[in-house]
């Protein structure tokens, strides 16, 4: 348990350092507040996350984190305000736009959600999250054929994610972590939309690992 807690804290710190490097001269206190809020968010304490961040007005990573916490807490009005503040400070924030689409959809602003989704897809037509959102919006409007096309595209792209899991499974197997490797392979198999050479590679590695540990 202690090992996993340490890994989680390392992961949070890595994210913070990456985000801070992209922000403009955040002060030490802002970074400290953001670190506390990130830990609370990682543990699902969304109300506490927004309370911690209430004094942070301009740090884009904090605005994004606050918007996400408000969204998952069901506070759509404030989540939208936080997203729009973020996008005003950082118009290029892809995650901010993605969450704003989700918020607008839940507020039944379908037109606004569709327009923003189309903009996102024009910038990145291979993003699975956006394709899935676009499919949901198409289904909301009764455009089931369009929704199916979008989901087919997302399914095709899921093979890339399966390949990442296969690569990690190989590394885990070499490192002597057979159970973790088999878990990655099981997830990778589930992500593939059809029979492909990649599926055969997954099965072959699964068989190799199972034979070795029996």
């Amino acid at each position: 348990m202690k090992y996993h807690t340490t890994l989680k804290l390392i992961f949070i710190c890595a994210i913070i350092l990456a985000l801070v490097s992209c922000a403009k001269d955040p002060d030490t206190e802002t970074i400290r507040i953001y670190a506390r809020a990130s830990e609370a968010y990682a543990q699902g304490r969304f109300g506490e996350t927004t309370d911690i961040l209430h004094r942070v007005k301009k740090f884009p990573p904090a605005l994004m984190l606050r918007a996400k916490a408000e969204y998952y807490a069901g506070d759509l009005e404030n989540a939208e305000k936080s997203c729009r503040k973020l996008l005003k400070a950082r118009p290029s924030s892809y995650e901010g736009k993605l969450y704003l689409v989700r918020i607008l959809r839940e507020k039944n602003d379908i037109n606004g959600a569709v327009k923003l989704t189309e903009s996102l897809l024009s910038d990145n037509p291979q993003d699975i999250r956006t394709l899935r959102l676009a499919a949901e919006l198409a289904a909301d409007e009764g455009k089931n054929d369009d929704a199916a096309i979008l989901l087919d595209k997302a399914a095709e792209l899921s093979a890339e994610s399966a390949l990442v899991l296969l690569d990690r499974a190989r590394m885990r197997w070499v490192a002597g972590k057979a159970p973790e490797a088999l878990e990655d392979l099981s997830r990778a198999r589930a992500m593939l939309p059809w029979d492909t050479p990649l599926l055969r590679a997954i099965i072959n590695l699964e068989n190799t690992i199972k034979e070795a540990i029996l």
Side-chain angles (χ1 to χ4, degrees):
M1 181 68 69
K2 184 180 293 185
Y3 173 74
H4 290 298
T5 301
T6 301
L7 283 179
K8 182 183 287 187
L9 289 174
I10 291 173
F11 180 68
I12 290 172
C13 288
I15 293 175
I16 292 170
L17 288 173
L19 292 172
V20 165
S21 67
C22 298
K24 184 178 180 180
D25 299 328
D27 57 73
T28 303
E29 177 65 10
T30 297
I31 296 173
R32 185 186 67 80
I33 291 172
Y34 181 73
R36 284 180 53 217
S38 296
E39 185 175 356
Y41 179 84
Q43 295 175 9
R45 304 198 308 267
F46 303 127
E48 182 179 341
T49 302
T50 57
D51 288 343
I52 293 171
L53 294 172
H54 79 279
R55 288 182 297 160
V56 182
K57 307 297 184 182
K58 296 181 179 180
F59 186 46
L63 291 173
M64 184 70 258
L65 186 63
R66 179 170 179 171
K68 289 164 65 175
E70 290 164 340
Y71 173 76
Y72 288 117
D75 187 357
L76 298 180
E77 291 297 330
N78 281 319
E80 181 178 354
K81 290 178 183 178
S82 295
C83 269
R84 294 194 183 280
K85 286 180 182 177
L86 166 67
L87 292 173
K88 184 176 181 180
R90 182 171 290 172
S92 62
S93 174
Y94 194 86
E95 188 177 19
K97 293 176 183 177
L98 195 66
Y99 270 88
L100 184 55
V101 170
R102 292 171 175 159
I103 292 164
L104 294 175
R105 179 178 179 238
E106 293 200 24
K107 294 180 68 177
N108 293 317
D109 183 358
I110 302 301
N111 288 335
V114 168
K115 288 180 181 179
L116 187 52
T117 302
E118 289 173 347
S119 173
L120 287 171
L121 283 176
S122 67
D123 292 335
N124 190 354
Q126 296 188 330
D127 184 80
I128 293 177
R129 296 173 302 170
T130 308
L131 286 166
R132 180 175 171 272
L133 267 177
E136 290 178 346
L137 289 166
D140 288 344
E141 295 184 297
K143 300 176 181 178
N144 294 327
D145 289 342
D146 290 346
I149 292 171
L150 290 162
L151 289 174
D152 285 344
K153 180 63 175 177
E156 291 175 16
L157 293 169
S158 68
E160 290 294 325
S161 299
L163 186 58
V164 171
L165 288 171
L166 175 59
D167 289 343
R168 190 171 72 171
R170 287 179 177 139
M171 292 184 66
R172 285 178 161 178
W173 169 232
V174 171
K177 300 178 180 179
E180 292 89 343
L182 288 173
E183 181 182 349
D184 275 347
L185 292 172
S186 176
R187 291 173 58 196
R189 185 205 292 258
M191 294 176 72
L192 292 177
W194 50 71
D195 186 12
T196 67
L198 179 56
L199 177 60
R200 290 191 287 277
I202 291 170
I203 293 173
N204 288 338
L205 183 54
E206 279 181 331
N207 292 337
T208 298
I209 295 173
K210 290 176 180 178
E211 289 171 3
I213 62 179
L214 290 179

